[in-house]
Amino acid sequence: MVTHEPILRAPWYADASDGTLLHRYLQDDFVETFIQEAQQEKLTANRHQAWIAADKFGAQHPRLRLPLQRAFYMVATEAVCNLPGKPAFTPKKIIAAGFVVRKKNKSGLQLWRLRDGKALGWQSPSGLDLTQDPDLAKRNALNPLLKIRGIKPIANTATGFSGEQTYPLHARVVHTEQGPRTLLFGYLPLNGQREVEESTNQQAAGQTVSAAGYLAELEWPFGSWDGLARDTALCNCTGSLQDVIQKMCNQFGWDASLQLQIKNGVPTRALGRLLALLVNRYQIGDATIADNDSLRALLQSMPIFTRLLSAQELVSMRQNFPLFIQQARQQNIIRTSLLGYLQEHSEIVSRWYNRNEARMALGRNEDKTHQNSTPGFDALENFNGHLYITEVLAQTWRAQMLARAEQINNVIEAALPLPRYTQGKDETYFVQPFMRYRDECDCEKVCWGQPSFEFTVASPFDTQTVRPSVIQLPELRDIKKGMAKGVTFLTPKSVADLMLKIAPTMEMKEQQSRSPLDACLGFSISFSIPIITICAMILLMIVLNLLNLIFRWLPYAILILPRLCLPRVNVNGDNP
């Protein structure tokens, strides 16, 4: 082998116009398969790879599948010397080799950049990005103006890698009939994401909020739904947090009947929904969730009285709430706080809500005369007391519940990274290799190779590229308890808009089934892609409406097929 100026070109088995090649594999051991095919000279040019034409699906460019669709791609190029006959470039002179994935759209060429190890996303290149080292630290070290010669590779690990995202290529000498060849190959990972920067989250404090969002799940005086069903039952006001709270006060107003929220252990519908949200969604009983500190402080300030308060005492409570609470403690008419009760009896509250959920539907109110309607509710176990609120306390609750909901949204947005490969119009990607090597003067240099053909990347639910997969649905208990710690489901906007129009009304009743399905351990759910989107849509609706956690939608959304079962077992213990 000789060691002259190298170039990266299409491998010896391909056409010169192919540039960097991509090889597709549908099995997990694709690396070993690729190496064996290279050694046995079974690798072929682009014109002999049938998948390139088949995966265009009528479009101009091939559509590459994602790893979750169990398709994997290998990148291949050849390092040769720029001499007649193009002899192989010796691997001993190769310091490192790799490739980058670049994007083309209406804005032109874009590179995926990193700064201190964190992704910045797609950005337009500078003039130096297309010819020099993608690693900014090495680029500066190799700058000829600095007159650095014979340097060793720089480890860019002090503060993290900065530059264009690279992936490794491995050098391997392949012996062919024409002689030895230096093959550079590597795996093309079709993944990556950009995290939301902290500066974006800090701007959320001044963002516009809506009363028709999470507060619409709660009834006045804790939410934006008017249980009295007046001319305007729902407040759709938007603006800053304080503006929204004030607009709700102006629209609904305060009534003296709102003060008594729990009488003899029986909550009003408004408070019952609030307690269910606190226990099921926000897990208020878990003291380790720091984001609940404000809500817990509010609950701590709400005492449970051992007797009903007189009219004069109610006036004193409205005028000076802290002083009244202090006097009530001296009179020994306070048993504990609402926080203390929820910490000890959160499961009781959950069971109570499940029993009374049907009677708590918003818009249903058998008693239109006052807000404290309790249509058939039973008392909370071990409550033994009464609970009052003031107008100021109710307003604080509305502000805190809206702020907590927006806080969860911000946490979710920060935790949901932006995908690297999108399916926008006129967006294509291509692979371009590079190689760091030492020249005859033992100086480190960089050369770039020919790009691959342009391609697009399939979405996870692409009906044309998807392959049969098993999707594990979450347990009901996981959905109930996960939201306070950031569990969420992401759906496209078009699906979300359709989801908002669906109302689950089908009743699920227990029945004595005598079929062989009784012996099954579970169900196998078979999806086509349209069914997957419908299922995800309804599942997201359930997550966003945790107050209705019964799978009434299941028969509408999916086709249930029983798993392969053993012969029927008499599970009921009856004689056959």
Side-chain angles (χ1 to χ4, degrees), residues 216-387:
E217 297 178 301
L218 297 173
E219 192 172 353
W220 181 260
F222 304 107
S224 59
W225 184 274
D226 184 7
L228 295 178
R230 300 168 185 164
D231 294 338
T232 304
L234 178 66
C235 179
N236 293 315
C237 49
T238 59
S240 66
L241 179 60
Q242 295 301 325
D243 290 341
V244 168
I245 298 302
Q246 185 60 44
K247 289 177 182 178
M248 283 191 292
C249 294
N250 296 337
Q251 178 170 328
F252 297 138
W254 178 259
D255 189 87
S257 63
L258 298 174
Q259 295 179 100
L260 182 59
Q261 288 293 320
I262 296 182
K263 182 179 180 180
N264 295 323
V266 181
T268 63
R269 183 176 61 190
L271 184 65
R273 296 182 67 87
L274 174 64
L275 295 180
L277 242 66
L278 293 175
V279 171
N280 294 333
R281 175 177 296 177
Y282 298 128
Q283 302 180 32
I284 201 67
D286 188 351
T288 62
I289 303 179
D291 293 336
N292 287 337
D293 289 346
S294 298
L295 298 179
R296 292 169 61 86
L298 267 180
L299 292 172
Q300 183 65 41
S301 66
M302 300 177 65
I304 298 176
F305 295 94
T306 58
R307 62 171 176 81
L308 292 173
L309 301 181
S310 64
Q312 182 60 38
E313 288 174 329
L314 291 177
V315 173
S316 301
M317 182 179 67
R318 291 195 303 269
Q319 292 177 349
N320 194 332
F321 186 77
L323 178 60
F324 175 77
I325 296 300
Q326 182 180 358
Q327 295 174 350
R329 295 187 187 279
Q330 295 174 354
Q331 299 175 18
N332 199 26
I333 61 174
I334 294 179
R335 187 168 68 89
T336 183
S337 67
L338 185 56
L339 176 62
Y341 177 81
L342 293 180
Q343 285 179 325
E344 295 181 9
H345 307 292
S346 59
E347 292 296 331
I348 290 178
V349 175
S350 295
R351 292 196 300 268
W352 177 89
Y353 178 77
N354 292 335
R355 293 195 304 269
N356 297 277
E357 183 179 7
R359 291 186 290 272
M360 279 199 177
L362 288 180
R364 174 177 178 174
N365 198 343
E366 287 79 357
D367 184 1
K368 306 285 185 180
T369 59
H370 60 85
Q371 189 73 23
N372 281 16
S373 175
T374 56
F377 295 165
D378 53 347
L380 290 168
E381 299 176 25
N382 302 323
F383 194 87
N384 302 327
H386 316 276
L387 184 75

Side-chain angles (χ1 to χ4, degrees), residues 7 31 71 104 119 295 352 412 546 563:
I7 59 174
V31 177
K104 285 184 178 180
L295 298 179
W352 177 89
I412 290 173
L546 288 177
R563 293 180 180 173

Side-chain angles (χ1 to χ4, degrees), residues 511-518 568 570-576:
Q511 60 181 357
Q512 296 294 330
S513 175
R514 302 298 299 174
S515 70
L517 297 180
D518 290 342
R568 180 181 176 184
N570 189 1
V571 296
N572 295 323
D574 300 331
N575 294 327

Side-chain angles (χ1 to χ4, degrees), residues 25 55 83 105 121 130 138 162 176 313-314 368 383 386 443 467 473 569 574:
Y25 296 91
D55 286 359
L83 293 174
N105 55 19
L130 304 181
K138 295 185 71 64
S162 294
T176 66
E313 288 174 329
L314 291 177
K368 306 285 185 180
F383 194 87
H386 316 276
C443 297
R467 302 179 65 201
L473 295 179
V569 180
D574 300 331

Side-chain angles (χ1 to χ4, degrees), residues 126-139:
S126 65
L128 299 179
D129 291 328
L130 304 181
T131 58
Q132 297 193 12
D133 199 295
D135 187 339
L136 294 182
K138 295 185 71 64
R139 181 185 301 180

